[in-house]
Amino acid sequence: MSTTPTAHRQGICIAAALLVLGVTPTAAAGEAEQARGDPGVALSWNAIAWRTIGVEGQKPPPVAQLYLGLVSTAVYDAVRTAEAADGPAASDVAAATAAHDALAHFFPASQTALDADYDAWLAGVPDDEARQNGRQAGADAAAALIADRADDGREAPITLPRPADPPPGMWVPTGTGEMTAPWLGFTEPLLIDSPEQFATDGPDPLDSEEYAADVAEVAAMGSATSTARTAEQTDLALFWSDNPIRQYQDAMRERAVRHGMDIVGTVRMLAAANTAGADALITCWRGKYDVPLWRPITAIQQADRDGNPATTPDPAWSSLRPAPPYPEWPSGHACVSSAVAETLEELFGAGQVDMEIRSSVTGTTRIYDDEQAWLDDVVNARVWLGIHFRDAVDDARETGRAVADAVACEFGSSDS
């Protein structure tokens, strides 16, 4: 049931932060300043972070986003400390050290590879006072983050209760396994107050007209054998069936290079977007745990159990792509996509998102200048894949925006 959890105040926090600094929003949205250093090491360690978390660590998308948020925060804090130091302190060394130390702590199995990456890069940096101070700034930032997150609820032994005979509307596994990371919704957020701060009021009742309309839409448009979905709509749906966490890391790195962003603007962008994405997914996962709604495949096949005279069961129905292993409401993809897209628009200005997002599923790239078009595509894609009702993606979109507003207030504006 779509409601706005908080007023959508795009740009207000950014404008306020800039005015305090004596900078106009228009100037901040212009070309990057180059004076504060090459962002290359920050981009390299973001790629290493994905390799460590998503490939070697094999963390599923929502959990990978949490760890990317943590590592990006340590890197941002390290660079900010180095930039504010009284004496010489190399921001790039601070960034690399913070990323290395945080990743090595959270993923000890990757220690050897991380050490090799770090040592090979550091060997090319002059061993002077700036290097030593930068290294200390990075080590301190990582240590502070690790200490702060010591008892944050990650990986807690929480399972989703499921009765032997689930009532109509309750999620059941659909062939892809039990619920992924049910503990995530009980994890301490990175910046927002709690996992329930920006929750909406839940999905539409099963006996409502709105629910029946959603069932009819996904039954027609999300079927594996749909004749209503066009070839272009199928292509869009498949484009967004890729892993969005990896897609967004790749696209942000590419954006930083293309816009000539400096190291401060780059680590701020990565930290803000990844923190917003993590907190949005924590919020989303709490909703999935508290209200575990069945997926469209179960709802359509068992529509005779929902008590709604406007729905019709189709026991043979299947979706264009299998549903992931967790409840339907709210949409995880829409939560993280909305949070990331809105954060970038807050940082860079309306119409200045400029993200070139590539899908390994379709082998194509789509360019988005504003969050509206980006999120419209995500919302439609989840319905056309047959794995979400529109209500779930609409609610998630609002949650992500609310989280992004809160996060953007903390990070201020980027320099790109």
Side-chain angles (χ1 to χ4, degrees):
M1 187 179 300
S2 182
T3 61
T4 303
T6 191
H8 178 51
R9 56 190 190 284
Q10 178 182 334
I12 294 175
C13 298
I14 299 304
L18 291 172
L19 289 173
V20 169
L21 297 172
V23 181
T24 66
T26 300
E31 292 301 315
E33 296 175 2
Q34 299 297 318
R36 287 185 291 186
D38 184 352
V41 68
L43 301 176
S44 295
W45 277 93
N46 175 262
I48 291 169
W50 171 254
R51 183 198 73 199
T52 304
I53 297 165
V55 180
E56 296 167 0
Q58 297 184 4
K59 294 299 184 183
V63 178
Q65 183 62 63
L66 171 62
Y67 282 105
L68 284 164
L70 294 174
V71 174
S72 297
T73 296
V75 171
Y76 174 62
D77 288 347
V79 170
R80 189 170 56 173
T81 298
E83 290 286 320
D86 291 334
S91 296
D92 54 355
V93 176
T97 303
H100 167 272
D101 289 5
L103 287 166
H105 172 80
F106 293 129
F107 298 91
S110 294
Q111 177 88 50
T112 300
L114 292 166
D115 287 351
D117 290 325
Y118 182 70
D119 292 344
W121 177 80
L122 195 63
V125 179
D127 190 5
D128 55 15
E129 185 181 4
R131 169 173 143 164
Q132 295 305 316
N133 289 341
R135 197 168 186 177
Q136 190 64 55
D140 289 347
L145 177 122
I146 290 166
D148 184 59
R149 302 298 300 192
D151 298 305
D152 62 1
R154 279 176 296 112
E155 313 287 350
I158 296 172
T159 57
L160 178 67
R162 192 157 51 83
D165 185 20
M170 187 173 191
W171 178 77
V172 294
T174 58
T176 52
E178 293 290 339
M179 182 180 182
T180 296
W183 52 265
L184 184 60
F186 296 85
T187 303
E188 178 186 342
L190 279 69
L191 274 180
I192 64 173
D193 293 336
S194 79
E196 298 165 304
Q197 183 179 354
F198 296 115
T200 61
D201 62 354
D204 293 321
L206 299 187
D207 60 357
S208 67
E209 292 181 3
E210 292 82 3
Y211 173 79
D214 275 1
V215 170
E217 180 187 25
V218 72
M221 297 296 294
S223 168
T225 57
S226 174
T227 57
R229 189 181 57 242
T230 67
E232 291 79 10
Q233 290 169 333
T234 299
D235 183 71
L236 177 67
L238 294 176
F239 179 94
W240 285 113
S241 68
D242 201 353
N243 185 328
I245 314 304
R246 192 206 71 251
Q247 286 179 291
Y248 297 161
Q249 304 310 304
D250 291 349
M252 286 191 287
R253 291 197 304 271
E254 188 277 336
R255 187 194 193 284
V257 172
R258 187 158 37 84
H259 282 260
M261 293 173 64
D262 63 30
I263 191 169
V264 175
T266 297
V267 299
R268 185 186 290 122
M269 172 184 68
L270 293 170
N274 283 325
T275 296
D279 279 0
L281 282 172
I282 289 171
T283 302
C284 176
W285 246 246
R286 186 54 178 267
K288 288 180 181 291
Y289 187 94
D290 290 345
V291 189
L293 186 68
W294 58 11
R295 287 282 179 174
I297 189 169
T298 311
I300 293 168
Q301 291 180 353
Q302 301 181 22
D304 54 332
R305 300 180 63 222
D306 63 19
N308 194 318
T311 63
T312 303
D314 181 355
W317 190 89
S318 62
S319 54
L320 178 61
R321 284 291 182 269
Y326 29 85
E328 190 270 344
W329 182 92
S331 163
H333 196 308
C335 271
V336 69
S337 296
S338 177
V340 170
E342 178 67 11
T343 297
L344 295 177
E345 186 146 296
E346 291 275 11
L347 292 178
F348 301 127
Q352 301 299 317
V353 169
D354 192 20
M355 286 276 278
E356 296 186 3
I357 301 173
R358 180 171 177 79
S359 172
S360 63
V361 176
T362 59
T364 56
T365 299
R366 293 175 181 265
I367 300 173
Y368 294 98
D369 291 327
D370 64 86
E371 59 94 20
Q372 182 76 33
W374 177 352
L375 296 180
D376 284 349
D377 279 359
V378 167
V379 166
N380 286 327
R382 305 316 277 175
V383 175
W384 298 341
L385 286 167
I387 61 177
H388 274 299
F389 301 119
R390 189 165 293 273
D391 180 57
V393 280
D394 285 344
D395 282 5
R397 184 172 183 167
E398 294 304 323
T399 294
R401 280 177 166 171
V403 171
D405 282 341
V407 169
C409 283
E410 297 289 335
F411 280 91
S413 174
S414 177
D415 291 324
S416 89

